[in-house]
Amino acid sequence: MLREWFTCVFVCLSCFLMSEKLSAEVNGVDEVRTVTLNMRNVSLKEILTEIEKQAGVTFSYESSLLKAFQKTSFKVEEAALDDCLAQLFAGYPIVYKRTGNVVILKRKPKQVTISGFVRDKTSAESLVGASVYEMSSLSGVAANTYGFFSLSLPVPPGDEGVPVRLQVSYIGYESCSFTIPVLKHDTVLVIGLRPNAAIGEVLVTASETTRQTVRNTQMGTLEVNQATIRATPTLLGEADIIRTLQLTPGVSAGTEGISGLYVRGGNADENLFLIDGNPVYQVNHIGGFFSAFNHEAIKGMNFFKAGFPARYGGRLSSVVDVHTKEGNMKEFHGSASLGLVSGNLNLEGPIWKDRTSFNIALRRTWLDVLTAPALAIVNKKNKKHGDRINIRYAFHDLNVRVDHRFSDRSRMYLSLYNGNDVLKVESEDFSYSEYVTPFSNTSNAYMRWGNLVASAGWTYAFSNKLFGKLSGFYTRYRSKVSYREEDISGKEGDPGYQYSLDETTNVTGITDFGIRTSFDYRPMAAHHIRFGGDYLIHYFRPEYHRMKALDNRLPDSMQIARTFSDDKLWAHELAAYAEDDWLISDAFRLNAGLRFSLFNIDDRTYMGLEPRVSLRWLLSPDISLKASYSRMNQYVHLISNSFMDLPTDSWVPVTRKLDPLVSDQVSIGGYYNWNRLLDFSVEGYYKRMDNLLEYKEGYSLIPSSVSWENKMASGEGWAYGLECMVRKQTGKMTGWVGYALAWADRRFDEINEGRRYPSRYDNRHKLNIVVMHKLSQKVELSAAWTYSSGNYTTLSLENYYPGDHLHKPGEAPSWGSGTRLDEDYYDGRNNYQLPAYHRLDLGINVYHPKKRGRMGIWNISIYNVYSRMNPILVYKGEVKRIAGAGDYENPNVVYRNAFKSIGIFPIIPSVSYTYKF
Amino acid sequence: MRYDLCCVWVLLSFLLSGCEKEINLESMRPDPKLVLNCLAIQGDTLSVELSRTWFYADNNVQDIFVSGADVKLYVNDVFRESLAETVVKYENPDVDAVLYKSSSYMPAAGDRIRLTASREGFKTIEAVTEVPRPCSVSDFEFEQESVRDTSMWWDDPYIHLSQKNIFSFTLHDEPGEENYYLIYFRRGDAWGKKDSLRYSWFSFSPDYKSEPVFAVQHSALDQIFGYDNIGGYNGLAFSDELFDGRSYRFKIPWEISRSYTLSTDYNPYRYRCYLYSVSRSYYNYMKTLNELRESGFVGDLADIGFAEPVRIYSNVVGGTGVLGGGCLEFREFTSE
């Protein structure tokens, strides 16, 4: 391992030295233009004169430029001319430009920086992405994740300061304006914005925020706040960020009912889910029917599907950056809600007013609360018959966050997330009064899977221009599935005593811990530099499989207690990044970044260099064109042999045999903001993915007898398409219309005979219409209509006789029991496209204001309003050929073979009630 | 009121609309493909079964076996012969199968066999396999423990027999190479007069899951959802991954219970164990068949559209089926 690291460092060093040498060779003459100075208590002019003598250059400047500076000392030895000049002018407000032998000196333009934090005035929560806009200079910035902003303004030559007209806005809040007649010095502000709607949070007013889509360099991004998540109608009324994202162009929802996220032709494991900056591996409950993100704990999220900033890395297709609520620093609030599936409790408030806050959100299914007493009654009744059964299923999500403000500049937080699914099935047959010999047969099935994410971080505004964050984190995903069957007959020690035990345990998991640093630096108005690094230690346990079979009637040689596989893998991941958001001119803005990553596992180190570039061309204040390129590397991936989220799914690393997944994506787009009301966007993209992994045909995670690495096939993928979106974020009616025309293909040498085939979720057309309308102060309606081309599926069209009777020489050939003679023949992977999918969901929120600011909210949702039975599969079945009253036993009724489609989700209404206090 | 009724009717029609619909896939009707099935067994005449695929929606499909084809045999890349067509009557089901047989060639361990088959109206197909070395097996052992209870039924004493059987053998695996095996058991039930007993043979499934090499095929998830049985009626394929290069002793138990009267003859069962070393192609083929027929939790998810379906392995290029190689080790033993 050391040798690999050494090689890597050596290569980097060599590259650096080579570039230095090349640079020197290009400059040619400068190699000999060295300067040696050791001058004490002299004027700057004297130093320049000496440099002119030694280097043969001439300085050109205004005569008044050097007058203001006091005498100084300066020392360099055998320094190259450029180094010497850089060192000399570093301490002066002077910029220089060298052309041949002439060095032109100019006064550095003076600038003042206005920085600070944007917060909710009532709770002191940071407002992520709030717009801070200076109207005189037409320059603006967005607040970062912690509400911090920094805006540098140039002071015109000869002026003492600069007049400032600042407008601060955020969706859902009243805009705030400040006027500072003359800003002479760097200033720090803490700006509080007041929510602009007492009831509901969807009604928002137009502001500069709405034009950010046009003005920033980001492509393929979407910012969604809690209000939008809550207002979107969903299955069983469970507000869900993933289901909200499914309604946007470029995101395929996957199989109906599942909270799938397949972004621009990517796979489910290619999405980086972050909670407060830390990765979450298992993002669903009940096999994928509900996402693990509790909307009550969420402040908002940023979703990226292209033009990824360099600060994000580790997944190919998307980033879902979820920010949790910090908690109210001023007063206590909370909410409690009850839906058809789960209940939710949220509490927030100050621990130390204006200093420390907490926010706790707990969501839990409550069905087992009903089943437990019901089963207890049944078991009591059945006790006399020697039966007992217990079934329990539950999931929960717990989000806890504590924030402490040391000062306006310094803040720290603790964040915890724990989400688990548990399924327990126990049954027992036991002897009762009629039996002389006691016995008991028990079976216990147990499944538990989920995440634990804990992190602690410290943020600090080092200066008006530099903001930093340091955090440490621990994240764990673990799944355990076990089955135990125990039979006891007689009493231990008695001659007829019998005891047998069968136990199987499967465990899979991943644990990460590490540290992250990130910095926001605004050296001048035109540059916003972000840089930082991560170091992670991964501990993988891809599959642990243990079996135990004991029977006191069998000889010792037949007692089994064996672990079939128990791989444990340690890996180290190191990443460093830097990006600059550079306003080149009023029209052009460039976000260029580089992410460098190292992943070390099994004595092998993979290195990834990921360039990211986004360019914006502002054609007018409301129209822009953008282009971006990004490369992404992925070192961990999920292996699953179903389209659901099962506890047997396993996160595994790249290994010596399996190279990292890589994607390259190019996007171009046009953006238009109409009257600060509507955002129009059109984006085209082309994405290529390498080293994608799939199970080879005929393999699955189990049995464990074959090493999981050998079960995987490595291949490539392509995705390209066009996405259009119109979004309205302000006014009584908000929502969006999105359309995507997309292609997504795959090719693996060992799958489909090496032929290219469409990805399962290659939905050619996808149209979403989402409307949220605030009918009155008390009633809010929402509707979401989805149309998409059907998913692809692997369908057998033909049948054939197998040859599994061939190894029985001398006997009459037989195809088993004779009930099934033929088998399915599959010609190609994903060879059939299901019929188009469409569905309408409706929702209504009714607000009941109560005394002292409390409120009751009724939510009624209807999923699939017109009960379209969207097919989820096509299967080979039979239909009656000759009608007649009868069934298979009636010889007059003849059946014929036919293909049939089946849909499983009809209209599903739901209701929930939330009480806010 | 009428308007209201109309609304209710529309709503009900949505609610009660069927979730299952017939789909006409006539536009996707594919051309049939040749199906070649052959297991080249060391020391046995080479016999190739040639059939075709058919479109599922077709009913009462005839002529599934393909006659009039040109089936060529190459051994170690040298053309050996064109196989001769014969018709063989299969008993279960009652069909006339078309087989193509070699006149004199008998596969030998290490032979590389290539078969091509062509017939007008079909794409030419080709498959290659190697005949593996015979299994190195020793110490075959059959242990049996019988318990008899007697009870009276009317005036006739009934004897209830419980037998615990363990069949053991030691497999000596070659180190440094991937080896594949196939095992299955048959039970012979006697009938006829005592001096001229005849046996009918049936596949049966011993308690494979007691043997770790086989048991590892199931996860706890399978057990929870009740998929913990291993049938293997038509042969259970396994590889040497858990005992590569070692001598491994297999112990396969099963239990039977039967009853008989003193007035009827007691004819003990006979058992046959077939143990093959097979080529990788035949192992893959049988393994996917095992998986398909014995399903499992994920297999059932595939049936409802939540997982990719299991596809039967094929090494036949241009069509489907399998060409495998095998060497048989056979044992027969009689119950007490």
Side-chain angles (χ1 to χ4, degrees), chain A residues 504 506 643 794 798 803-804 807 811 875 901 907, chain B residues 20-21 53 186 223 274 276 282 285 293 306 308:
Chain A
T504 307
N506 289 101
F643 310 132
T794 305
E798 295 169 90
D804 57 331
H807 52 261
E811 293 177 23
Y875 73 100
S901 70
I907 181 171
Chain B
E20 208 178 65
K21 274 184 190 165
T53 60
R186 303 276 276 172
Q223 288 186 314
Y274 297 79
Y276 284 87
Y282 202 69
Y285 177 77
R293 291 188 177 160
F306 285 96
E308 194 63 33

PDB file of all heavy atoms in Angstrom, chain A residues 504 506 643 794 798 803-804 807 811 875 901 907, chain B residues 20-21 53 186 223 274 276 282 285 293 306 308:
ATOM      1  N   THR A 504     -30.310 -19.462  10.683  1.00  0.00           N
ATOM      2  CA  THR A 504     -29.586 -18.843   9.574  1.00  0.00           C
ATOM      3  C   THR A 504     -29.538 -17.347   9.814  1.00  0.00           C
ATOM      4  O   THR A 504     -30.553 -16.738  10.168  1.00  0.00           O
ATOM      5  CB  THR A 504     -30.291 -19.112   8.230  1.00  0.00           C
ATOM      6  OG1 THR A 504     -30.483 -20.507   8.106  1.00  0.00           O
ATOM      7  CG2 THR A 504     -29.472 -18.619   7.059  1.00  0.00           C
ATOM      8  N   ASN A 506     -28.085 -13.647   8.163  1.00  0.00           N
ATOM      9  CA  ASN A 506     -27.422 -12.866   7.118  1.00  0.00           C
ATOM     10  C   ASN A 506     -27.250 -11.440   7.619  1.00  0.00           C
ATOM     11  O   ASN A 506     -28.197 -10.847   8.126  1.00  0.00           O
ATOM     12  CB  ASN A 506     -28.264 -12.801   5.838  1.00  0.00           C
ATOM     13  CG  ASN A 506     -28.300 -14.122   5.122  1.00  0.00           C
ATOM     14  OD1 ASN A 506     -29.256 -14.859   5.212  1.00  0.00           O
ATOM     15  ND2 ASN A 506     -27.242 -14.439   4.422  1.00  0.00           N
ATOM     16  N   PHE A 643     -36.003  -4.799  -7.798  1.00  0.00           N
ATOM     17  CA  PHE A 643     -36.216  -3.386  -8.065  1.00  0.00           C
ATOM     18  C   PHE A 643     -36.768  -2.693  -6.820  1.00  0.00           C
ATOM     19  O   PHE A 643     -37.249  -1.574  -6.886  1.00  0.00           O
ATOM     20  CB  PHE A 643     -37.181  -3.216  -9.243  1.00  0.00           C
ATOM     21  CG  PHE A 643     -36.794  -4.032 -10.443  1.00  0.00           C
ATOM     22  CD1 PHE A 643     -37.712  -4.814 -11.115  1.00  0.00           C
ATOM     23  CD2 PHE A 643     -35.487  -4.040 -10.882  1.00  0.00           C
ATOM     24  CE1 PHE A 643     -37.344  -5.580 -12.207  1.00  0.00           C
ATOM     25  CE2 PHE A 643     -35.097  -4.796 -11.968  1.00  0.00           C
ATOM     26  CZ  PHE A 643     -36.029  -5.569 -12.637  1.00  0.00           C
ATOM     27  N   THR A 794     -38.174  -7.277 -19.041  1.00  0.00           N
ATOM     28  CA  THR A 794     -37.716  -8.453 -19.775  1.00  0.00           C
ATOM     29  C   THR A 794     -38.874  -9.428 -19.866  1.00  0.00           C
ATOM     30  O   THR A 794     -39.351  -9.929 -18.851  1.00  0.00           O
ATOM     31  CB  THR A 794     -36.517  -9.105 -19.052  1.00  0.00           C
ATOM     32  OG1 THR A 794     -35.519  -8.111 -18.868  1.00  0.00           O
ATOM     33  CG2 THR A 794     -35.949 -10.253 -19.849  1.00  0.00           C
ATOM     34  N   GLU A 798     -41.444 -16.503 -26.094  1.00  0.00           N
ATOM     35  CA  GLU A 798     -41.441 -17.868 -26.631  1.00  0.00           C
ATOM     36  C   GLU A 798     -41.220 -18.886 -25.509  1.00  0.00           C
ATOM     37  O   GLU A 798     -40.744 -18.541 -24.431  1.00  0.00           O
ATOM     38  CB  GLU A 798     -40.312 -18.011 -27.654  1.00  0.00           C
ATOM     39  CG  GLU A 798     -40.495 -17.151 -28.881  1.00  0.00           C
ATOM     40  CD  GLU A 798     -39.232 -17.129 -29.710  1.00  0.00           C
ATOM     41  OE1 GLU A 798     -39.100 -18.002 -30.594  1.00  0.00           O
ATOM     42  OE2 GLU A 798     -38.377 -16.282 -29.466  1.00  0.00           O
ATOM     43  N   GLY A 803     -33.651 -29.354 -21.508  1.00  0.00           N
ATOM     44  CA  GLY A 803     -32.956 -30.642 -21.668  1.00  0.00           C
ATOM     45  C   GLY A 803     -32.415 -31.153 -20.353  1.00  0.00           C
ATOM     46  O   GLY A 803     -31.332 -31.732 -20.312  1.00  0.00           O
ATOM     47  N   ASP A 804     -33.172 -30.955 -19.280  1.00  0.00           N
ATOM     48  CA  ASP A 804     -32.656 -31.391 -17.981  1.00  0.00           C
ATOM     49  C   ASP A 804     -32.932 -32.861 -17.704  1.00  0.00           C
ATOM     50  O   ASP A 804     -32.680 -33.344 -16.612  1.00  0.00           O
ATOM     51  CB  ASP A 804     -33.228 -30.516 -16.856  1.00  0.00           C
ATOM     52  CG  ASP A 804     -34.742 -30.521 -16.827  1.00  0.00           C
ATOM     53  OD1 ASP A 804     -35.344 -30.691 -17.903  1.00  0.00           O
ATOM     54  OD2 ASP A 804     -35.312 -30.378 -15.743  1.00  0.00           O
ATOM     55  N   HIS A 807     -29.444 -36.236 -18.313  1.00  0.00           N
ATOM     56  CA  HIS A 807     -28.478 -36.947 -17.477  1.00  0.00           C
ATOM     57  C   HIS A 807     -29.101 -38.163 -16.777  1.00  0.00           C
ATOM     58  O   HIS A 807     -28.621 -38.579 -15.741  1.00  0.00           O
ATOM     59  CB  HIS A 807     -27.869 -35.981 -16.446  1.00  0.00           C
ATOM     60  CG  HIS A 807     -28.892 -35.221 -15.663  1.00  0.00           C
ATOM     61  ND1 HIS A 807     -29.244 -33.933 -15.995  1.00  0.00           N
ATOM     62  CD2 HIS A 807     -29.643 -35.573 -14.607  1.00  0.00           C
ATOM     63  CE1 HIS A 807     -30.170 -33.518 -15.144  1.00  0.00           C
ATOM     64  NE2 HIS A 807     -30.431 -34.490 -14.293  1.00  0.00           N
ATOM     65  N   GLU A 811     -33.409 -44.355 -18.645  1.00  0.00           N
ATOM     66  CA  GLU A 811     -34.734 -44.175 -18.074  1.00  0.00           C
ATOM     67  C   GLU A 811     -35.596 -43.371 -19.029  1.00  0.00           C
ATOM     68  O   GLU A 811     -35.080 -42.620 -19.853  1.00  0.00           O
ATOM     69  CB  GLU A 811     -34.647 -43.423 -16.748  1.00  0.00           C
ATOM     70  CG  GLU A 811     -33.955 -44.231 -15.677  1.00  0.00           C
ATOM     71  CD  GLU A 811     -33.811 -43.434 -14.407  1.00  0.00           C
ATOM     72  OE1 GLU A 811     -34.581 -42.482 -14.201  1.00  0.00           O
ATOM     73  OE2 GLU A 811     -32.916 -43.771 -13.633  1.00  0.00           O
ATOM     74  N   TYR A 875     -47.399 -10.815 -17.964  1.00  0.00           N
ATOM     75  CA  TYR A 875     -47.074 -12.209 -17.683  1.00  0.00           C
ATOM     76  C   TYR A 875     -47.825 -13.133 -18.630  1.00  0.00           C
ATOM     77  O   TYR A 875     -48.737 -12.716 -19.341  1.00  0.00           O
ATOM     78  CB  TYR A 875     -47.382 -12.541 -16.217  1.00  0.00           C
ATOM     79  CG  TYR A 875     -48.855 -12.661 -15.903  1.00  0.00           C
ATOM     80  CD1 TYR A 875     -49.460 -13.919 -15.802  1.00  0.00           C
ATOM     81  CD2 TYR A 875     -49.651 -11.544 -15.699  1.00  0.00           C
ATOM     82  CE1 TYR A 875     -50.811 -14.042 -15.514  1.00  0.00           C
ATOM     83  CE2 TYR A 875     -50.992 -11.662 -15.408  1.00  0.00           C
ATOM     84  CZ  TYR A 875     -51.572 -12.908 -15.316  1.00  0.00           C
ATOM     85  OH  TYR A 875     -52.904 -13.020 -15.037  1.00  0.00           O
ATOM     86  N   SER A 901     -51.470  -8.140 -18.784  1.00  0.00           N
ATOM     87  CA  SER A 901     -50.782  -7.127 -17.969  1.00  0.00           C
ATOM     88  C   SER A 901     -51.521  -7.030 -16.633  1.00  0.00           C
ATOM     89  O   SER A 901     -52.711  -7.349 -16.551  1.00  0.00           O
ATOM     90  CB  SER A 901     -50.791  -5.779 -18.681  1.00  0.00           C
ATOM     91  OG  SER A 901     -52.105  -5.264 -18.702  1.00  0.00           O
ATOM     92  N   ILE A 907     -57.203   3.655  -6.973  1.00  0.00           N
ATOM     93  CA  ILE A 907     -57.364   4.926  -6.248  1.00  0.00           C
ATOM     94  C   ILE A 907     -57.148   4.676  -4.747  1.00  0.00           C
ATOM     95  O   ILE A 907     -57.630   3.681  -4.205  1.00  0.00           O
ATOM     96  CB  ILE A 907     -58.770   5.517  -6.517  1.00  0.00           C
ATOM     97  CG1 ILE A 907     -58.950   6.837  -5.789  1.00  0.00           C
ATOM     98  CG2 ILE A 907     -59.874   4.541  -6.180  1.00  0.00           C
ATOM     99  CD1 ILE A 907     -60.228   7.564  -6.200  1.00  0.00           C
TER     100      ILE A 907
ATOM    101  N   GLU B  20     -56.289  -6.604 -14.405  1.00  0.00           N
ATOM    102  CA  GLU B  20     -55.657  -7.567 -15.307  1.00  0.00           C
ATOM    103  C   GLU B  20     -56.257  -7.391 -16.691  1.00  0.00           C
ATOM    104  O   GLU B  20     -57.478  -7.313 -16.837  1.00  0.00           O
ATOM    105  CB  GLU B  20     -55.959  -8.972 -14.790  1.00  0.00           C
ATOM    106  CG  GLU B  20     -54.924  -9.987 -15.154  1.00  0.00           C
ATOM    107  CD  GLU B  20     -55.286 -11.345 -14.563  1.00  0.00           C
ATOM    108  OE1 GLU B  20     -56.316 -11.914 -14.957  1.00  0.00           O
ATOM    109  OE2 GLU B  20     -54.543 -11.796 -13.719  1.00  0.00           O
ATOM    110  N   LYS B  21     -55.399  -7.316 -17.699  1.00  0.00           N
ATOM    111  CA  LYS B  21     -55.897  -7.111 -19.057  1.00  0.00           C
ATOM    112  C   LYS B  21     -55.107  -7.975 -20.010  1.00  0.00           C
ATOM    113  O   LYS B  21     -53.887  -8.132 -19.830  1.00  0.00           O
ATOM    114  CB  LYS B  21     -55.702  -5.649 -19.473  1.00  0.00           C
ATOM    115  CG  LYS B  21     -56.795  -4.724 -19.067  1.00  0.00           C
ATOM    116  CD  LYS B  21     -56.515  -3.345 -19.641  1.00  0.00           C
ATOM    117  CE  LYS B  21     -57.458  -2.330 -19.042  1.00  0.00           C
ATOM    118  NZ  LYS B  21     -56.995  -0.966 -19.291  1.00  0.00           N
ATOM    119  N   THR B  53     -38.298 -23.301 -30.660  1.00  0.00           N
ATOM    120  CA  THR B  53     -39.114 -22.471 -29.753  1.00  0.00           C
ATOM    121  C   THR B  53     -40.455 -22.200 -30.429  1.00  0.00           C
ATOM    122  O   THR B  53     -40.583 -22.347 -31.649  1.00  0.00           O
ATOM    123  CB  THR B  53     -38.429 -21.117 -29.489  1.00  0.00           C
ATOM    124  OG1 THR B  53     -38.251 -20.426 -30.724  1.00  0.00           O
ATOM    125  CG2 THR B  53     -37.078 -21.296 -28.827  1.00  0.00           C
ATOM    126  N   ARG B 186     -32.686 -41.489  -7.041  1.00  0.00           N
ATOM    127  CA  ARG B 186     -33.910 -42.121  -7.525  1.00  0.00           C
ATOM    128  C   ARG B 186     -34.245 -43.261  -6.560  1.00  0.00           C
ATOM    129  O   ARG B 186     -33.352 -43.911  -6.007  1.00  0.00           O
ATOM    130  CB  ARG B 186     -33.698 -42.706  -8.920  1.00  0.00           C
ATOM    131  CG  ARG B 186     -33.223 -41.685  -9.941  1.00  0.00           C
ATOM    132  CD  ARG B 186     -34.341 -40.904 -10.556  1.00  0.00           C
ATOM    133  NE  ARG B 186     -34.933 -41.625 -11.671  1.00  0.00           N
ATOM    134  CZ  ARG B 186     -36.032 -41.247 -12.291  1.00  0.00           C
ATOM    135  NH1 ARG B 186     -36.666 -40.175 -11.876  1.00  0.00           N
ATOM    136  NH2 ARG B 186     -36.512 -41.931 -13.309  1.00  0.00           N
ATOM    137  N   GLN B 223     -35.817 -18.330   4.121  1.00  0.00           N
ATOM    138  CA  GLN B 223     -36.429 -19.137   5.184  1.00  0.00           C
ATOM    139  C   GLN B 223     -37.628 -18.434   5.809  1.00  0.00           C
ATOM    140  O   GLN B 223     -38.656 -19.040   6.067  1.00  0.00           O
ATOM    141  CB  GLN B 223     -35.390 -19.461   6.253  1.00  0.00           C
ATOM    142  CG  GLN B 223     -34.376 -20.481   5.740  1.00  0.00           C
ATOM    143  CD  GLN B 223     -33.430 -20.907   6.826  1.00  0.00           C
ATOM    144  OE1 GLN B 223     -32.918 -20.081   7.550  1.00  0.00           O
ATOM    145  NE2 GLN B 223     -33.190 -22.192   6.931  1.00  0.00           N
ATOM    146  N   TYR B 274     -26.856 -40.852  -8.532  1.00  0.00           N
ATOM    147  CA  TYR B 274     -26.127 -40.472  -9.747  1.00  0.00           C
ATOM    148  C   TYR B 274     -25.265 -39.270  -9.395  1.00  0.00           C
ATOM    149  O   TYR B 274     -25.780 -38.224  -8.991  1.00  0.00           O
ATOM    150  CB  TYR B 274     -27.089 -40.063 -10.863  1.00  0.00           C
ATOM    151  CG  TYR B 274     -28.009 -41.179 -11.327  1.00  0.00           C
ATOM    152  CD1 TYR B 274     -29.136 -41.532 -10.589  1.00  0.00           C
ATOM    153  CD2 TYR B 274     -27.765 -41.852 -12.514  1.00  0.00           C
ATOM    154  CE1 TYR B 274     -29.982 -42.528 -11.017  1.00  0.00           C
ATOM    155  CE2 TYR B 274     -28.616 -42.859 -12.953  1.00  0.00           C
ATOM    156  CZ  TYR B 274     -29.728 -43.192 -12.197  1.00  0.00           C
ATOM    157  OH  TYR B 274     -30.563 -44.187 -12.623  1.00  0.00           O
ATOM    158  N   TYR B 276     -22.415 -36.900 -11.083  1.00  0.00           N
ATOM    159  CA  TYR B 276     -21.706 -36.552 -12.316  1.00  0.00           C
ATOM    160  C   TYR B 276     -20.648 -35.491 -12.033  1.00  0.00           C
ATOM    161  O   TYR B 276     -20.859 -34.603 -11.218  1.00  0.00           O
ATOM    162  CB  TYR B 276     -22.665 -35.902 -13.317  1.00  0.00           C
ATOM    163  CG  TYR B 276     -23.603 -36.832 -14.037  1.00  0.00           C
ATOM    164  CD1 TYR B 276     -24.831 -37.173 -13.486  1.00  0.00           C
ATOM    165  CD2 TYR B 276     -23.272 -37.323 -15.298  1.00  0.00           C
ATOM    166  CE1 TYR B 276     -25.712 -37.996 -14.165  1.00  0.00           C
ATOM    167  CE2 TYR B 276     -24.148 -38.148 -15.987  1.00  0.00           C
ATOM    168  CZ  TYR B 276     -25.371 -38.481 -15.417  1.00  0.00           C
ATOM    169  OH  TYR B 276     -26.231 -39.289 -16.100  1.00  0.00           O
ATOM    170  N   TYR B 282     -22.961 -27.106 -18.432  1.00  0.00           N
ATOM    171  CA  TYR B 282     -24.090 -27.877 -17.928  1.00  0.00           C
ATOM    172  C   TYR B 282     -24.412 -27.501 -16.474  1.00  0.00           C
ATOM    173  O   TYR B 282     -25.565 -27.476 -16.052  1.00  0.00           O
ATOM    174  CB  TYR B 282     -23.829 -29.377 -18.052  1.00  0.00           C
ATOM    175  CG  TYR B 282     -25.118 -30.184 -18.058  1.00  0.00           C
ATOM    176  CD1 TYR B 282     -25.994 -30.119 -19.137  1.00  0.00           C
ATOM    177  CD2 TYR B 282     -25.464 -30.993 -16.985  1.00  0.00           C
ATOM    178  CE1 TYR B 282     -27.189 -30.823 -19.150  1.00  0.00           C
ATOM    179  CE2 TYR B 282     -26.659 -31.706 -16.981  1.00  0.00           C
ATOM    180  CZ  TYR B 282     -27.512 -31.623 -18.066  1.00  0.00           C
ATOM    181  OH  TYR B 282     -28.695 -32.326 -18.075  1.00  0.00           O
ATOM    182  N   TYR B 285     -26.314 -24.309 -16.609  1.00  0.00           N
ATOM    183  CA  TYR B 285     -27.647 -24.610 -17.111  1.00  0.00           C
ATOM    184  C   TYR B 285     -28.526 -25.190 -15.997  1.00  0.00           C
ATOM    185  O   TYR B 285     -29.637 -24.733 -15.735  1.00  0.00           O
ATOM    186  CB  TYR B 285     -27.491 -25.594 -18.270  1.00  0.00           C
ATOM    187  CG  TYR B 285     -28.779 -26.075 -18.871  1.00  0.00           C
ATOM    188  CD1 TYR B 285     -29.512 -25.275 -19.723  1.00  0.00           C
ATOM    189  CD2 TYR B 285     -29.253 -27.353 -18.585  1.00  0.00           C
ATOM    190  CE1 TYR B 285     -30.696 -25.724 -20.281  1.00  0.00           C
ATOM    191  CE2 TYR B 285     -30.434 -27.816 -19.138  1.00  0.00           C
ATOM    192  CZ  TYR B 285     -31.158 -26.999 -19.978  1.00  0.00           C
ATOM    193  OH  TYR B 285     -32.327 -27.449 -20.526  1.00  0.00           O
ATOM    194  N   ARG B 293     -36.930 -23.252 -10.845  1.00  0.00           N
ATOM    195  CA  ARG B 293     -38.008 -24.158 -10.408  1.00  0.00           C
ATOM    196  C   ARG B 293     -38.220 -24.111  -8.911  1.00  0.00           C
ATOM    197  O   ARG B 293     -39.317 -24.352  -8.440  1.00  0.00           O
ATOM    198  CB  ARG B 293     -37.683 -25.574 -10.857  1.00  0.00           C
ATOM    199  CG  ARG B 293     -37.792 -25.648 -12.373  1.00  0.00           C
ATOM    200  CD  ARG B 293     -37.671 -27.026 -12.887  1.00  0.00           C
ATOM    201  NE  ARG B 293     -37.866 -27.006 -14.320  1.00  0.00           N
ATOM    202  CZ  ARG B 293     -37.451 -27.963 -15.131  1.00  0.00           C
ATOM    203  NH1 ARG B 293     -36.833 -28.993 -14.653  1.00  0.00           N
ATOM    204  NH2 ARG B 293     -37.670 -27.875 -16.410  1.00  0.00           N
ATOM    205  N   PHE B 306     -41.051  -7.288  -9.698  1.00  0.00           N
ATOM    206  CA  PHE B 306     -40.166  -6.506  -8.848  1.00  0.00           C
ATOM    207  C   PHE B 306     -38.710  -6.971  -8.899  1.00  0.00           C
ATOM    208  O   PHE B 306     -37.899  -6.546  -8.104  1.00  0.00           O
ATOM    209  CB  PHE B 306     -40.660  -6.519  -7.395  1.00  0.00           C
ATOM    210  CG  PHE B 306     -41.855  -5.630  -7.170  1.00  0.00           C
ATOM    211  CD1 PHE B 306     -43.131  -6.131  -7.200  1.00  0.00           C
ATOM    212  CD2 PHE B 306     -41.689  -4.270  -6.960  1.00  0.00           C
ATOM    213  CE1 PHE B 306     -44.231  -5.314  -7.010  1.00  0.00           C
ATOM    214  CE2 PHE B 306     -42.786  -3.436  -6.768  1.00  0.00           C
ATOM    215  CZ  PHE B 306     -44.061  -3.957  -6.801  1.00  0.00           C
ATOM    216  N   GLU B 308     -35.594  -8.921 -11.788  1.00  0.00           N
ATOM    217  CA  GLU B 308     -35.293  -9.430 -13.129  1.00  0.00           C
ATOM    218  C   GLU B 308     -35.542 -10.947 -13.138  1.00  0.00           C
ATOM    219  O   GLU B 308     -35.126 -11.650 -12.221  1.00  0.00           O
ATOM    220  CB  GLU B 308     -33.818  -9.141 -13.423  1.00  0.00           C
ATOM    221  CG  GLU B 308     -33.389  -9.276 -14.855  1.00  0.00           C
ATOM    222  CD  GLU B 308     -34.074  -8.301 -15.809  1.00  0.00           C
ATOM    223  OE1 GLU B 308     -34.391  -7.158 -15.410  1.00  0.00           O
ATOM    224  OE2 GLU B 308     -34.301  -8.719 -16.942  1.00  0.00           O
TER     225      GLU B 308
END
